[in-house]
């Protein structure tokens, strides 16, 4: 049974991006259900919902389906405002946003992925390697990982040093010197937390606790905080794919349709057939539908679930996503 707030998280257990959302939900004590997905394509549950977007996680609230953790966290902040983790002061909001962009757009996470130890079982699974190559658009062959790993470690050491010598330098517990972990901590910590838990990922000679004591103390403190919050958080309900699909089909939309910004440079119109897809990874998979809303921060498409034939709204952020009109007349000639 889905929770009363209609929140369902689609993810797989070892996704570092999914951790961001799970941590947020846990720290907030927000009730949710989860629907575990295969780590590699295909993902038939999402396909049945009419979703082509291939990245994990996704979060549904009713018949609204939110893609990309940046948008998911923003929506959770908006829809559950009491006890939100986001900063309230403009300068702290700026730090929070810059950390998000540093980690995702600034290359920290991509370097973390390049630093995976080549002996990991997944990196020796041909199906997984092929899936990652489709996802990232680059080689995941073992010899290429071995070749690129030293450069990735050099960049990561610089990232560790930045945190150690600036934001954590004064011995504070949390990034914004808040009484408890905030959204800024989630935005900053996840690739460092992820790698520190992977045996062989961070050579002790370069990343020892004696070299970066404040970073590791922050990671340990965050882990303990999440563990304590999990003990008192609502129990997570696990749904099978068919259960999640049925529940979403029977639900209402979580938010009204919205409007299309008449001043947007793309000059699109409400109801126009468009496609939207990420440009940094997972770019071989595009969602298509009628344009429901377009703002400076978000695009919403209406498409149809393949199982229930009910309309669903797919939400993408604008950051690192491309939106193009679909010329159906030219499609019919192909």
């Amino acid at each position: 049974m889905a929770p009363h707030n209609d929140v369902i998280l689609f993810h797989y257990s070892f996704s570092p991006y999914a951790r961001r959302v799970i941590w947020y939900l846990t720290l907030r004590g927000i009730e949710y259900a989860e629907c575990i997905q295969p780590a590699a394509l295909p993902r038939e549950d999402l396909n049945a919902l009419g979703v082509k977007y291939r990245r994990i996680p996704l979060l549904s609230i009713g018949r609204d389906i939110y893609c990309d953790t940046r948008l998911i966290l923003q929506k959770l902040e908006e829809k559950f405002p009491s006890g939100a983790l986001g900063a309230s002061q403009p300068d702290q909001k700026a730090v929070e946003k810059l950390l998000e962009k540093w980690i995702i757009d600034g290359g920290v996470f991509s370097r973390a992925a390049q630093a995976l130890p080549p002996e990991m079982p997944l990196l020796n699974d041909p199906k997984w390697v092929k899936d990652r190559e489709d996802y990232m658009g680059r080689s995941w062959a073992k010899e290429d990982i071995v070749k690129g790993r030293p450069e990735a470690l050099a960049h990561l050491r610089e990232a560790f040093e930045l945190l150690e010598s600036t934001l954590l330098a004064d011995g504070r517990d949390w990034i914004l010197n808040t009484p408890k972990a905030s959204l800024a901590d989630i935005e900053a910590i996840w690739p460092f937390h992820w790698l520190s838990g992977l045996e062989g990922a961070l050579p002790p000679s370069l990343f020892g606790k004696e070299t970066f004591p404040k970073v590791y103390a922050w990671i340990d403190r965050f882990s303990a905080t999440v563990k304590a919050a999990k003990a008192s958080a609502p129990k997570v309900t696990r749904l099978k794919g068919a259960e999640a699909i049925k529940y979403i089909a029977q639900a209402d939309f979580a938010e009204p349709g919205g409007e299309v910004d008449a001043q947007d440079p793309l000059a699109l119109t409400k109801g126009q057939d468009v496609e939207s897809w990420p440009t940094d990874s997972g770019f071989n998979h595009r969602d298509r539908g009628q344009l429901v809303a377009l703002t400076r921060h978000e695009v919403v498409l209406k498409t149809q679930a393949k199982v229930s034939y009910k309309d669903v709204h797919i939400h993408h952020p604008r950051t690192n996503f491309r939106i193009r009109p679909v010329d159906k007349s030219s499609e019919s000639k192909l």
Side-chain angles (χ1 to χ4, degrees), residues 16 19 23 107-117 120 149 152-153 155-157 159-160 189-203 207 216 219:
R19 284 186 180 187
W23 286 338
V108 176
F109 176 72
S110 64
R111 294 299 187 178
Q114 292 169 359
L116 293 176
M120 281 183 65
R149 184 168 149 81
L153 292 174
H155 282 267
L156 289 169
R157 184 166 62 163
F160 266 79
I189 203 169
W190 59 286
F192 305 98
H193 188 288
W194 179 50
L195 289 178
S196 68
L198 288 177
E199 185 177 356
L202 299 174
F207 297 92
Y216 282 103
I219 292 171

Side-chain angles (χ1 to χ4, degrees), residues 49-279:
L49 288 169
V51 177
K52 299 298 183 184
Y53 176 85
R54 66 144 297 158
R55 303 195 304 205
I56 288 291
L58 298 88
L59 184 131
S60 66
I61 305 179
R63 281 194 279 148
D64 286 275
I65 300 172
Y66 302 97
C67 306
D68 194 290
T69 57
R70 289 167 287 199
L71 181 61
I72 291 170
L73 293 174
Q74 174 193 325
K75 290 293 182 178
L76 290 172
E77 285 274 291
E78 294 171 358
K79 294 183 178 302
F80 301 91
S82 180
L85 297 181
S88 58
Q89 298 302 313
D91 57 341
Q92 293 188 336
K93 285 183 177 181
V95 172
E96 181 182 281
K97 193 66 177 178
L98 288 170
L99 286 169
E100 172 209 290
K101 290 187 174 296
W102 177 52
I103 297 296
I104 298 176
D105 301 327
V108 176
F109 176 72
S110 64
R111 294 299 187 178
Q114 292 169 359
L116 293 176
E119 61 271 14
M120 281 183 65
L122 277 175
L123 297 182
N124 293 280
D125 179 346
K127 181 180 178 181
W128 173 258
V129 169
K130 182 179 179 181
D131 182 84
R132 292 298 89 181
E133 290 177 339
D134 172 75
Y135 173 68
M136 297 295 292
R138 62 173 174 82
S139 171
W140 272 65
K142 185 181 242 184
E143 58 270 22
D144 292 322
I145 291 174
V146 171
K147 183 179 179 180
R149 184 168 149 81
E151 182 178 298
L153 292 174
H155 282 267
L156 289 169
R157 184 166 62 163
E158 185 180 26
F160 266 79
E161 183 179 11
L162 177 63
L163 290 172
E164 185 78 20
S165 62
T166 59
L167 291 172
L168 299 172
D170 60 4
R172 64 183 61 190
D173 285 346
W174 307 113
I175 288 290
L176 297 180
N177 208 14
T178 46
K180 61 181 182 179
S182 73
L183 181 57
D185 292 283
I186 293 175
E187 297 290 11
I189 203 169
W190 59 286
F192 305 98
H193 188 288
W194 179 50
L195 289 178
S196 68
L198 288 177
E199 185 177 356
L202 299 174
S205 60
L206 298 176
F207 297 92
K209 289 190 175 184
E210 66 283 355
T211 306
F212 302 111
K214 294 182 176 66
V215 174
Y216 282 103
W218 173 53
I219 292 171
D220 291 342
R221 192 161 45 247
F222 185 84
S223 296
T225 300
V226 171
K227 183 178 180 180
K230 186 177 181 180
S232 59
K235 183 178 179 181
V236 178
T237 302
R238 179 165 293 187
L239 300 176
K240 294 181 179 179
E243 294 173 318
I245 293 165
K246 181 179 179 181
Y247 187 86
I248 291 170
Q250 294 174 346
D252 296 324
F253 288 108
E255 54 184 275
E259 298 298 329
V260 172
D261 181 3
Q263 302 301 316
D264 192 273
L266 296 182
L268 300 171
T269 58
K270 192 176 181 69
Q272 186 173 359
D273 291 308
V274 298
E275 60 182 4
S276 175
W277 70 97
T279 57

Side-chain angles (χ1 to χ4, degrees), residues 223-330:
S223 296
T225 300
V226 171
K227 183 178 180 180
K230 186 177 181 180
S232 59
K235 183 178 179 181
V236 178
T237 302
R238 179 165 293 187
L239 300 176
K240 294 181 179 179
E243 294 173 318
I245 293 165
K246 181 179 179 181
Y247 187 86
I248 291 170
Q250 294 174 346
D252 296 324
F253 288 108
E255 54 184 275
E259 298 298 329
V260 172
D261 181 3
Q263 302 301 316
D264 192 273
L266 296 182
L268 300 171
T269 58
K270 192 176 181 69
Q272 186 173 359
D273 291 308
V274 298
E275 60 182 4
S276 175
W277 70 97
T279 57
D280 50 353
S281 64
F283 35 71
N284 293 323
H285 304 263
R286 305 182 179 190
D287 283 308
R288 290 189 174 188
Q290 291 183 347
L291 185 62
V292 173
L294 185 68
T295 71
R296 285 175 293 176
H297 307 292
E298 179 183 14
V299 58
V300 186
L301 311 181
K302 180 177 74 174
T303 190
Q304 198 174 72
K306 294 182 178 180
V307 172
S308 65
Y309 302 106
K310 290 284 190 72
D311 288 340
V312 296
H313 288 173
I314 299 175
H315 299 245
H316 291 171
R318 295 296 297 270
T319 301
N320 291 338
F321 275 71
R322 184 163 294 145
I323 309 160
R324 291 286 184 267
V326 174
D327 185 351
K328 287 199 166 183
S329 63
S330 63

Side-chain angles (χ1 to χ4, degrees), residues 9-30 32-34 36 56-59 69 72-73 76 85 186 222 226 229-230 233 236 238:
L9 180 66
F10 295 83
H11 72 104
Y12 57 85
S13 61
F14 56 91
S15 164
Y17 274 97
R19 284 186 180 187
R20 286 161 46 80
V21 180
I22 293 170
W23 286 338
Y24 182 92
L25 292 165
T26 301
L27 292 172
R28 291 288 312 279
I30 296 173
Y32 71 99
E34 66 180 5
I36 301 300
I56 288 291
L58 298 88
L59 184 131
T69 57
I72 291 170
L73 293 174
L76 290 172
L85 297 181
I186 293 175
F222 185 84
V226 171
K230 186 177 181 180
V236 178
R238 179 165 293 187

